[in-house]
Amino acid sequence: MTHTPKSSPPPPGPVLPVLPAVPAQAAPPARPPGNAPAPPPGPRRTAFAEGLDQLRTAATTEPGRLRIIGALLALLVIAFGAVTAWQMTDRATAADDVLTRSQPLSSDAADIYRSLADANTAASSGFLAGGQESAATRDRYERDIRTAAEKLVNAAANADPDSPSTATIAKLNRLLPEYKGLVERARTYNRQGFPVGGAYLRYANEKMQEQMLPAAEDLYKKENQRLNADYAAATPYPWAAIALGVAALAALAWAQRRNYERTNRVLNHGLVAATATATVVLLWLVVGHTVARAGLNDSFDHGVRSLNVLHDARIASLKARGNENLTLVARGAETKKVGEETHDAYDYDFGTDIEDLAGYLAAAEKLADDDSGERPVTAAVGNMQEWKKRHAAARAQDENGNYQEALDRVIGTKDATGECFDSVDENLRTALAHEETEFKRAAGDGRDALTGMPAGVAVLAVLGAAGAVLGIGRRLSEYR
């Protein structure tokens, strides 16, 4: 037998695990020579840059160009509608404020002044009558005080908390009861025959003339400024909206011409619809705002201006009447030096007030645009001229020592200056009522011309944008 030799066993020792082969790795990049840092990686591209690239790529094909044109047309029409709705909303709000807020508040401020001045006049008339004060005079004073208080409450309710008018209203609310208390003291002492009653009345008049009426005049001016600001916000042309409308129509015309040159098709229904809606919006905008502007300007020229002059005339007549009464109350106790001459203070102020009244009435006659407005003003001019004559006669009697005769010529029941004053006041009230009606009519027409425009424009703009998109979509369908 053949003997096969056996292999010898491995020598004893630890068995090493077999590791898998590791692929060769690329050698690390060589470091720049020296200690210079490695260059930073390039900046990542922004989404905007990538979007521009996609837009450029899309613009190289006709479908891509059509999509871009459709998007721009829709955006332009929507922008036109949005700006138009925004600007016309602001103007419609301002026009409504002119009619329902600022002008009524301006008239309320004028009524506050008039009521205070008239209360002061009624108080002096009642004082002159002494124990014979009529119930009508007393009722007139109480009615004026009540009217002033109610108008102040209304003004406070409509004034912004941080507006300049608020402080003026608070001041008048504080002074009004103080003035009323002084008048009541003057009446009490006057009925008892104490001369100190005249001092209290003059002190009340001083408070009225130097504090209350200037504050009321300041409130009137501030409310007029507010009214003018509302007119300034309501009447300017909406040039931004008009420019966008013209641009939208130009872009739509260019798109339709481009479509015709490439397809020989005269009309694209979607683009025609978009053009029609944009045209309607632009015409509505221009015509509607022009009509509104004309109405508002008419309400200012033939309403507000006349109302302001008539309010001033009525206030001047009230001040004149008050100074006329106080001339007799003071009996020469108050004097005023003008140049080298010394005058009775109240009589001198009466002359100034009458001249102011004449100037306001002359201006009101020029502003009156029809017989209904001119007739009461002309009558007031005649009453004023008669008043001056009767006042001169009364002053002559007083200077000659005939105090009772002078008193009868001022507060008497026949041929007294009080009749002239009442006639002037009544005619001015009639003229004010007429001009108030004219203002409301013209301002209402202006406001109504803007009614529904913001909402209607927004709807038409959406329809126009949809028409532009559908019109371009029709062309895109030809490439599918």
Side-chain angles (χ1 to χ4, degrees):
M1 279 180 74
T2 305
H3 177 73
T4 304
K6 296 182 180 179
S7 59
S8 59
V15 179
L16 298 175
V18 179
L19 298 176
V22 179
Q25 295 182 354
R31 294 178 59 84
N35 294 326
R44 295 184 60 184
R45 302 195 67 207
T46 63
F48 179 74
E50 292 178 356
L52 284 179
D53 286 344
Q54 293 175 1
L55 192 62
R56 291 191 193 98
T57 303
T60 60
T61 64
E62 181 61 15
R65 286 191 288 268
L66 287 174
R67 290 188 181 93
I68 294 171
I69 292 172
L72 292 177
L73 289 176
L75 181 63
L76 191 55
V77 173
I78 288 293
F80 170 42
V83 172
T84 300
W86 163 55
Q87 290 194 310
M88 299 319 296
T89 296
D90 286 348
R91 282 156 177 76
T93 301
D96 186 68
D97 285 344
V98 165
L99 181 62
T100 63
R101 187 176 175 86
S102 52
Q103 197 283 326
L105 287 176
S106 177
S107 291
D108 282 350
D111 285 341
I112 290 171
Y113 193 113
R114 187 202 63 78
S115 297
L116 293 175
D118 193 52
N120 199 47
T121 299
S124 60
S125 296
F127 186 91
L128 286 174
Q132 305 298 319
E133 180 182 9
S134 66
T137 301
R138 178 73 180 185
D139 290 343
R140 180 173 183 170
Y141 168 80
E142 295 292 345
R143 184 175 60 253
D144 287 332
I145 293 294
R146 186 169 56 251
T147 299
E150 291 173 353
K151 297 292 185 180
L152 283 171
V153 170
N154 186 49
N158 288 279
D160 297 329
D162 56 347
S163 69
S165 298
T166 302
T168 305
I169 294 169
K171 180 179 179 180
L172 286 170
N173 277 324
R174 175 177 56 81
L175 291 173
L176 187 59
E178 295 178 5
Y179 169 80
K180 189 174 181 182
L182 290 172
V183 171
E184 292 305 321
R185 288 186 183 183
R187 281 176 167 164
T188 300
Y189 287 124
N190 188 45
R191 283 194 296 266
Q192 296 174 359
F194 295 147
V196 73
Y200 271 104
L201 186 64
R202 290 195 300 273
Y203 184 38
N205 177 73
E206 181 181 339
K207 183 179 288 290
M208 176 66 74
Q209 298 291 342
E210 296 182 4
Q211 297 182 55
M212 298 177 70
L213 290 182
E217 184 178 8
D218 181 61
L219 179 63
Y220 177 55
K221 288 180 179 179
K222 288 173 180 174
E223 293 301 337
N224 264 344
Q225 290 172 357
R226 182 177 178 178
L227 174 61
N228 291 335
D230 285 336
Y231 269 109
T235 54
Y237 272 107
W239 293 115
I242 292 173
L244 277 173
V246 172
L249 287 176
L252 286 166
W254 171 83
Q256 290 177 87
R257 179 177 177 82
R258 182 181 185 279
N259 181 64
Y260 171 73
E261 290 175 347
R262 282 164 173 74
T263 64
N264 287 328
R265 295 171 185 167
V266 176
L267 297 177
N268 178 294
H269 294 167
L271 294 179
V272 170
T275 304
T277 54
T279 302
V280 170
V281 170
L282 185 59
L283 288 175
W284 191 2
L285 169 65
V286 173
V287 174
H289 186 269
T290 300
V291 172
R293 179 186 173 95
L296 290 170
N297 285 339
D298 183 60
S299 72
F300 184 84
D301 292 336
H302 302 290
V304 172
R305 291 177 62 193
S306 294
L307 286 170
N308 288 342
V309 171
L310 290 170
H311 280 307
D312 291 338
R314 203 174 188 191
I315 289 167
S317 71
L318 288 165
K319 292 169 69 175
R321 180 59 176 173
N323 283 317
E324 183 177 49
N325 291 339
L326 287 168
T327 302
L328 295 177
V329 171
R331 296 191 179 187
E334 300 288 339
T335 60
K336 177 182 292 187
K337 192 169 185 179
V338 181
E340 297 297 327
E341 299 181 356
T342 301
H343 301 269
D344 182 286
Y346 297 116
D347 188 51
Y348 182 85
D349 289 341
F350 168 84
T352 301
D353 295 332
I354 283 291
E355 291 304 316
D356 290 341
L357 174 60
Y360 292 134
L361 290 177
E365 278 190 300
K366 291 180 180 179
L367 290 172
D369 53 355
D370 56 22
D371 290 340
S372 298
E374 185 177 3
R375 193 180 305 112
V377 177
T378 302
V381 171
N383 300 143
M384 178 203 64
Q385 292 171 348
E386 180 64 23
W387 185 2
K388 292 171 67 175
K389 294 178 183 178
R390 294 184 183 183
H391 175 80
R395 291 301 303 141
Q397 293 295 328
D398 188 33
E399 290 172 357
N400 290 331
N402 299 324
Y403 178 79
Q404 186 59 47
E405 179 67 20
L407 187 63
D408 292 340
R409 289 177 179 269
V410 172
I411 63 170
T413 58
K414 183 179 181 181
D415 296 334
T417 59
E419 294 179 353
C420 300
F421 163 72
D422 290 338
S423 297
V424 169
D425 192 67
E426 179 62 23
N427 281 309
L428 289 176
R429 186 193 64 78
T430 301
L432 280 166
H434 172 74
E435 296 300 335
E436 188 81 24
T437 301
E438 291 295 302
F439 163 80
K440 290 180 178 179
R441 178 193 57 77
D445 291 344
R447 182 196 61 178
D448 294 343
L450 302 177
T451 301
M453 185 181 295
V457 162
V459 171
L460 288 174
V462 172
L463 293 177
V469 171
L470 291 176
I472 296 298
R474 176 63 178 168
R475 285 281 294 120
L476 282 171
S477 66
E478 299 173 359
Y479 290 89
R480 296 171 187 163

